[in-house]
Amino acid sequence: MEKLYNGADLMTPGLTNGPPFPAGAVKGSVVAVSSLDKPSVPTFVGVCEIDVAGLTQVQGAKGHAVRGIQWEGDEIWGWGSTGKSGQPSPDHLDGWIRETEVAEEKLQDLDLGDDEDLDGVADGGVPINRPLEEEQRVGEEAEEEEKGGEEELPPPTTKEIDDVFEKAFIYALYQHKKDHPGDQNHGLSFPIQPSFLISNLITPFLPIFSPNQAQYYQIKKTSWKNVKKFVKHLDKIKLLKSKDRGGETIVMDVDFDDILVDQFVPYRLPKKTSSGGAKPKAASENTSGSVSSDQVNVKTLYRPSSKLVPDLFPPLSNTDVNNYYSASDVSKRLNDYISSQDPPIISPSNPRILTLNAFISNKIIPSNDVVTLSRGTIPRDTLLKRLLEDPSLCAPFHAILKPNQTLSDVKPKPGALPKTTITIERRTGSKLGTKLAGLDRFGISPQLLADELSKKCASSTSVSQAVGGAKGEMEVFLQGDHRGVVEKLLVSKGLKSQWISIVDKSKKK
């Protein structure tokens, strides 16, 4: 019954307590199904797909017997006006199976004879108390036989896969019309890119309940083979209006009033659950000035020059990990220096204004800044900004840490953090493509990302040596303009938007 509660239909080999079966269980009739554990309590309601009453045997038979409609634990069972779900089914209901009760009464009246024969072999029988090893062996054989007897669902035909994709799109229109009755275009914005169509209007509405089903319900398994032909088909049956643009077929409008949408009957969809592991957390800046997430931990660091030693920073070697400071560390050391000066350099009327002393004038303020030197004062924020933006004072470095790594495990690299680049370019005439470079430095596998993008965007991908990059640095190429999907996926993996650069080379000059 567990499979039935997860959305599976009752297969013919799974029928028990027959034949004969109830005379009313004919094709198209609504029937109630119970388990062997609780035979008097129906917990599954369905429609007969075949004439169950006419079956003479079920062993060796194949195919669906009862198509499930409602069962204990489904959405209807879990719904309630007060927010409470349905109650668990009882163990027994009186009056459902009279035959079982009579059989139980007769079983209780049976006399097994003398008790003294129970320990041995009685009248040519077999020993009742079998050795433990034999019982375990028999149990294992029975379990293996039971597993081997389970029937796997046959793979769907191409026609069935086509129907599923078409119904998924109709379901999407039906749902948008239901959820956004008063909004313009019922919440959709046009034109719609092919990648958005697949990821938002098709994939969420596919009835996929197992990995085995997922391998069949892909756009490449349909008769259309790609999104462009699929959109053309939807245009042909007048569910939408499409237009070719930039080598792609985009959706310009949809028909929410089509008869297929008006008469659509929703089907059960899989519950939205995590696909293993915790959902990645978005990258956020912490108090130490580092940016971290479950996948990427990036630290922006500064190494002070000899000009600032020992007034602001202690004398340390360039290889010492303690000689690299975050922006907040630099700010703290500057504040400590300002507070320790005697006579004070903080303006009594405005704590944000500092009076220049010999160290600040000679080491931090450049000699060509005549205005600041002649004025004799400088805002505290401006002084900190000079320290962080002038490489001759604090040289910028960056470090990318893998999970469970600390700064002492890696060597900071000079310069600011290089960005991951998303480039939109034209190839072979009018066709657009999306190229990603600079993934390796963030610990993202180009090949794994390419496989994921291929599924999300329903487009072909390739991985090759990055043009102009170091040996072994790979880049991902994706057919079509998918900048939005790519950026969203990178952010979900822990990259912040300021680490991503989007370059559009598709526009004609």
Side-chain angles (χ1 to χ4, degrees), residues 362-375:
N362 297 329
K363 299 296 182 67
I364 300 179
I365 307 299
S367 58
N368 58 358
D369 190 355
V370 181
V371 176
T372 302
L373 293 174
S374 60
R375 186 173 60 236

Side-chain angles (χ1 to χ4, degrees), residues 195 248 422-427 431-437 446 449-464 475-487 489:
S195 58
E248 294 181 326
I422 302 174
T423 305
I424 311 301
E425 58 186 21
R426 291 186 180 273
R427 291 195 176 185
K431 291 187 177 181
L432 296 177
T434 305
K435 184 172 66 176
L436 288 81
L449 185 69
D451 295 340
E452 191 170 354
L453 285 172
S454 178
K455 296 177 182 178
K456 280 186 173 292
C457 302
S459 180
S460 61
T461 58
S462 61
V463 180
S464 59
E475 65 182 13
V476 177
F477 181 78
L478 180 67
Q479 288 187 357
D481 184 353
H482 303 288
R483 69 185 82 183
V485 177
V486 173
E487 183 179 11
L489 181 59

Side-chain angles (χ1 to χ4, degrees), residues 335-490:
N335 289 334
D336 291 343
Y337 170 80
I338 294 172
S339 302
S340 64
Q341 294 306 295
D342 189 18
I345 62 174
I346 302 175
S347 172
S349 59
N350 187 352
R352 293 183 60 254
I353 303 300
L354 305 176
T355 302
L356 300 184
N357 59 10
F359 169 72
I360 297 176
S361 300
N362 297 329
K363 299 296 182 67
I364 300 179
I365 307 299
S367 58
N368 58 358
D369 190 355
V370 181
V371 176
T372 302
L373 293 174
S374 60
R375 186 173 60 236
T377 60
I378 187 173
R380 186 191 299 250
D381 296 340
T382 303
L383 185 62
L384 176 61
K385 186 177 180 181
R386 285 183 181 270
L387 287 174
L388 297 178
E389 293 184 354
D390 189 346
S392 65
L393 298 175
C394 289
F397 283 77
H398 70 275
I400 302 177
L401 308 181
K402 296 180 180 179
N404 301 322
Q405 276 189 334
T406 62
L407 194 59
S408 59
D409 298 325
V410 299
K411 181 180 179 181
K413 297 182 179 180
L417 175 69
K419 296 183 178 181
T420 291
T421 305
I422 302 174
T423 305
I424 311 301
E425 58 186 21
R426 291 186 180 273
R427 291 195 176 185
T428 62
S430 61
K431 291 187 177 181
L432 296 177
T434 305
K435 184 172 66 176
L436 288 81
L439 299 169
D440 306 79
R441 64 175 65 99
F442 292 103
I444 298 176
S445 169
Q447 186 60 59
L448 294 179
L449 185 69
D451 295 340
E452 191 170 354
L453 285 172
S454 178
K455 296 177 182 178
K456 280 186 173 292
C457 302
S459 180
S460 61
T461 58
S462 61
V463 180
S464 59
Q465 169 68 38
V467 178
K471 186 177 181 180
E473 183 179 349
M474 310 302 287
E475 65 182 13
V476 177
F477 181 78
L478 180 67
Q479 288 187 357
D481 184 353
H482 303 288
R483 69 185 82 183
V485 177
V486 173
E487 183 179 11
K488 185 177 180 180
L489 181 59
L490 292 178

Side-chain angles (χ1 to χ4, degrees), residues 74-97:
D74 66 358
E75 290 86 348
I76 298 179
W77 180 89
W79 180 88
S81 58
T82 60
K84 296 182 179 180
S85 59
Q87 298 179 357
S89 59
D91 294 332
H92 180 76
L93 289 177
D94 294 333
W96 273 86
I97 305 181

Side-chain angles (χ1 to χ4, degrees), residues 189-431:
S189 299
F190 297 98
I192 296 176
Q193 297 292 333
S195 58
F196 182 90
L197 174 74
I198 293 297
S199 60
N200 293 273
L201 302 181
I202 299 297
T203 303
F205 299 94
L206 293 176
I208 298 176
F209 297 93
S210 67
N212 186 45
Q213 289 179 309
Q215 66 175 326
Y216 298 118
Y217 293 118
Q218 301 179 23
I219 190 67
K220 62 183 180 181
K221 298 287 187 179
T222 64
S223 62
W224 308 294
K225 303 301 182 185
N226 56 56
V227 184
K228 184 174 183 178
K229 292 183 179 179
F230 175 51
V231 174
K232 292 288 188 181
H233 166 74
L234 297 177
D235 192 334
K236 185 177 180 180
I237 62 176
K238 301 187 182 304
L239 279 173
L240 55 78
K241 285 292 183 182
S242 63
K243 182 178 180 180
D244 292 337
R245 179 186 296 176
E248 294 181 326
T249 302
I250 61 176
V251 179
M252 304 300 296
D253 194 11
V254 297
D255 187 2
F256 286 101
D257 298 323
D258 190 278
I259 188 173
L260 295 176
V261 180
D262 290 338
Q263 298 182 358
F264 179 75
V265 178
Y267 47 80
R268 191 171 69 91
L269 292 174
K271 296 181 180 179
K272 296 180 180 180
T273 56
S274 175
S275 58
K279 186 177 180 180
K281 298 179 181 179
S284 59
E285 189 169 355
N286 57 27
T287 56
S288 64
S290 66
V291 182
S292 63
S293 73
D294 289 345
Q295 292 84 10
V296 181
N297 187 350
V298 176
K299 289 183 177 291
T300 300
L301 305 169
Y302 299 90
R303 190 177 69 189
S305 67
S306 58
K307 296 179 181 179
L308 307 179
V309 177
D311 299 85
L312 285 182
F313 299 93
L316 299 172
S317 67
N318 290 339
T319 58
D320 193 334
V321 68
N322 295 318
N323 200 28
Y324 295 90
Y325 302 88
S326 65
S328 60
D329 293 334
V330 175
S331 176
K332 183 178 183 303
R333 288 197 168 270
L334 178 61
N335 289 334
D336 291 343
Y337 170 80
I338 294 172
S339 302
S340 64
Q341 294 306 295
D342 189 18
I345 62 174
I346 302 175
S347 172
S349 59
N350 187 352
R352 293 183 60 254
I353 303 300
L354 305 176
T355 302
L356 300 184
N357 59 10
F359 169 72
I360 297 176
S361 300
N362 297 329
K363 299 296 182 67
I364 300 179
I365 307 299
S367 58
N368 58 358
D369 190 355
V370 181
V371 176
T372 302
L373 293 174
S374 60
R375 186 173 60 236
T377 60
I378 187 173
R380 186 191 299 250
D381 296 340
T382 303
L383 185 62
L384 176 61
K385 186 177 180 181
R386 285 183 181 270
L387 287 174
L388 297 178
E389 293 184 354
D390 189 346
S392 65
L393 298 175
C394 289
F397 283 77
H398 70 275
I400 302 177
L401 308 181
K402 296 180 180 179
N404 301 322
Q405 276 189 334
T406 62
L407 194 59
S408 59
D409 298 325
V410 299
K411 181 180 179 181
K413 297 182 179 180
L417 175 69
K419 296 183 178 181
T420 291
T421 305
I422 302 174
T423 305
I424 311 301
E425 58 186 21
R426 291 186 180 273
R427 291 195 176 185
T428 62
S430 61
K431 291 187 177 181

